[in-house]
């Protein structure tokens, strides 16, 4: 596979929370590698999406959004993971939201420029801009902020220009060998994928601060014939959140469990039995030690 012209490298998808980094990763890979919700700070880990073709292997790195407000250990760990991904990249794609420029975008740009790797801007959510030429002044202003190799307007949601972005990235990759087997699309195992899908369903259904203090751990996973048995714990921060997470007569827990189960069944193409239990670990998101025990510390 490693001919002399073979190109490979790590490409960080950097950006503030909620600009569409995970949606873009999934569009580039053509599979749901990273969970997506309308809430900021959905992604908590560095997640790889691997695109291998005859002439190249691009390892896209989805990152937690770099954000301000570092009060909690979880937020500090998320920012560290994002910073490390940018530091290790061969190419950085800074993902932005059409027509918006915030102080957090400026922070991300500063971080990426300090590393000095080739920088491409992906201006996402162009499907929201009507008429499309309203974007022109924004693109011009952006070009003056930094010496971007390319600025590519995209819609990760609709797939618009995603191939143009992939080509722009590929042109800047060095020659090198494949790092992963050709059939591997992510670095994450089944337990992680299932825990993330369960967490996504809670994040989608719960309001306000509770989803940020919720994490999911798959305790047991067994496969027998066409059935998969999964036991998972939903960790929350406060006893007072239990009522909301479980819901009246268990309705909320059931609804989240059901929609997670359906998606896991589709993903693994087998029947799934999902056992969810809710447990409290007081203020786990504030303590480095708890983060590590929940698989959320430094990776
Ligand atoms: P991340 O925090 O940067 O990873 O952002 P996500 O990928 O989780 O997306 C945040 C929200 O933006 C979700 O509701 C996505 O559906 C939405 N989104 C992402 N890309 C697009 C896009 O191209 N167009 C529109 N309209 N929405 C998008
Ligand atoms: Mg994300």
């Amino acid at each position: 596979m490693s001919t002399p012209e073979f190109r490979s490298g790590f490409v960080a998808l950097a950006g503030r929370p909620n600009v569409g980094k995970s949606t873009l990763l999934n569009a580039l890979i053509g599979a749901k590698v990273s969970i997506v919700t309308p809430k900021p700070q959905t992604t908590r880990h560095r997640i790889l999406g691997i695109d291998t073709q005859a002439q190249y292997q691009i390892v896209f790195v989805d990152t937690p959004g770099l954000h301000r407000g570092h009060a909690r250990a979880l937020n500090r760990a998320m920012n560290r993971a994002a910073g490390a991904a940018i530091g290790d990249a061969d190419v950085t794609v800074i993902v932005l939201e059409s027509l918006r420029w915030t102080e957090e975008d400026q922070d991300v740009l500063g971080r990426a420029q300090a590393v000095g790797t080739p920088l491409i801007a992906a201006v996402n959510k162009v499907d929201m801009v009507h008429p499309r030429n309203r974007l022109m002044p924004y693109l011009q202003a952006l070009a003056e902020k930094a010496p971007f190799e390319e600025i590519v307007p995209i819609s990760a949601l609709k797939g618009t220009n995603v191939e143009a972005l992939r080509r722009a990235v590929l042109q800047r990759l060095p020659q090198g060998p494949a790092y992963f087997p050709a059939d591997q699309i992510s670095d994450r195992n089944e337990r992680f994928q299932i825990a993330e899908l369960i967490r996504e369903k809670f994040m989608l259904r719960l309001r306000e601060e509770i989803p940020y203090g919720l994490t999911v751990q798959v305790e047991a996973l067994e496969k027998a014939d066409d059935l998969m048995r999964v036991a998972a714990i939903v960790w929350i921060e406060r006893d007072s959140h239990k009522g909301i997470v479980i819901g009246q007569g268990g309705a909320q827990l059931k609804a989240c469990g059901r929609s997670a189960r359906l998606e896991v069944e589709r993903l693994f193409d087998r029947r799934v039995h999902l056992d969810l239990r809710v447990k409290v670990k007081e203020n786990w998101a504030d303590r480095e030690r708890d983060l590590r025990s929940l698989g959320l510390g430094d990776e």
Side-chain angles (χ1 to χ4, degrees):
M1 188 200 294
S2 300
T3 57
E5 303 82 42
F6 197 86
R7 289 169 185 271
S8 64
F10 284 75
V11 178
L13 303 179
R16 69 173 157 79
N18 226 28
V19 291
K21 299 175 295 300
S22 299
T23 307
L24 176 58
L25 181 79
N26 295 341
L28 286 160
I29 301 306
K32 185 158 157 187
V33 174
S34 194
I35 62 168
V36 170
T37 83
K39 295 192 173 67
Q41 301 178 31
T42 298
T43 309
R44 290 177 180 164
H45 306 77
R46 216 176 338 162
I47 297 175
L48 306 187
I50 306 160
D51 172 19
T52 309
Q53 303 296 334
Q55 294 302 321
Y56 67 82
Q57 180 170 80
I58 313 177
V59 184
F60 292 102
V61 188
D62 189 17
T63 62
L66 274 170
H67 56 284
R68 294 187 166 186
H70 305 173
R72 316 200 71 188
L74 176 60
N75 295 92
R76 286 196 299 275
M78 285 162 65
N79 275 330
R80 271 202 306 278
I86 297 170
D88 291 342
D90 296 289
V91 175
T92 297
V93 174
I94 172 166
V95 184
L96 300 163
E97 227 170 349
S98 289
L99 305 180
R100 295 198 59 193
W101 182 263
T102 70
E103 289 183 339
E104 284 182 324
D105 292 320
Q106 185 66 52
D107 291 349
V108 179
L109 179 60
R111 292 284 285 267
Q113 279 193 289
V115 175
T117 45
L119 196 55
I120 294 170
V123 178
N124 193 26
K125 308 197 186 183
V126 293
D127 56 288
M128 309 264 277
V129 181
H130 303 289
R132 202 56 70 82
N133 64 15
R134 273 184 64 213
L135 203 54
M136 283 310 292
Y138 177 87
L139 297 178
Q140 276 157 5
L142 185 60
E144 302 195 344
K145 289 187 202 291
F148 294 107
E149 301 268 336
E150 274 191 50
I151 295 177
V152 190
I154 63 164
S155 169
L157 192 66
K158 311 271 183 202
T160 315
N161 258 353
V162 169
E163 292 316 311
L165 178 64
R166 194 194 313 271
R167 279 196 301 278
V169 164
L170 190 54
Q171 280 173 28
R172 274 93 193 171
L173 276 197
Q175 290 186 356
Y179 298 101
F180 296 92
D183 60 351
Q184 189 176 341
I185 64 166
S186 179
D187 63 328
R188 298 294 175 163
N189 62 23
E190 292 178 348
R191 284 182 182 229
F192 178 87
Q193 276 182 297
I194 293 169
E196 286 287 273
L197 288 174
I198 297 168
R199 188 166 65 84
E200 179 186 72
K201 304 313 173 203
F202 282 96
M203 286 206 74
L204 286 170
R205 294 183 60 103
L206 293 175
R207 282 172 205 279
E208 286 151 29
E209 87 276 25
I210 293 175
Y212 301 104
L214 183 149
T215 197
V216 176
Q217 207 175 20
V218 169
E219 273 197 309
L221 193 157
E222 259 173 59
K223 287 181 192 162
D225 300 324
D226 62 342
L227 180 72
M228 181 153 92
R229 287 179 188 280
V230 181
I233 301 177
V234 178
W235 289 104
I236 55 175
E237 290 199 291
R238 280 187 257 298
D239 211 44
S240 60
H241 291 167
K242 237 182 185 162
I244 297 165
V245 172
I246 293 171
Q248 285 241 318
Q252 182 74 277
L253 187 64
K254 254 185 231 152
C256 293
R258 182 184 137 79
S259 86
R261 176 176 57 76
L262 291 175
E263 193 162 342
V264 175
E265 285 182 341
R266 270 200 306 278
L267 185 66
F268 294 98
D269 197 24
R270 56 172 76 209
R271 276 191 309 127
V272 172
H273 182 273
L274 177 60
D275 173 42
L276 287 181
R277 275 179 306 149
V278 178
K279 288 192 186 177
V280 181
K281 200 192 274 280
E282 290 279 337
N283 298 321
W284 62 265
D286 289 320
R287 283 189 300 265
E288 303 279 350
R289 187 163 40 100
D290 287 339
L291 293 186
R292 279 195 297 277
S293 76
L294 294 168
L296 276 156
D298 286 311
E299 299 165 67

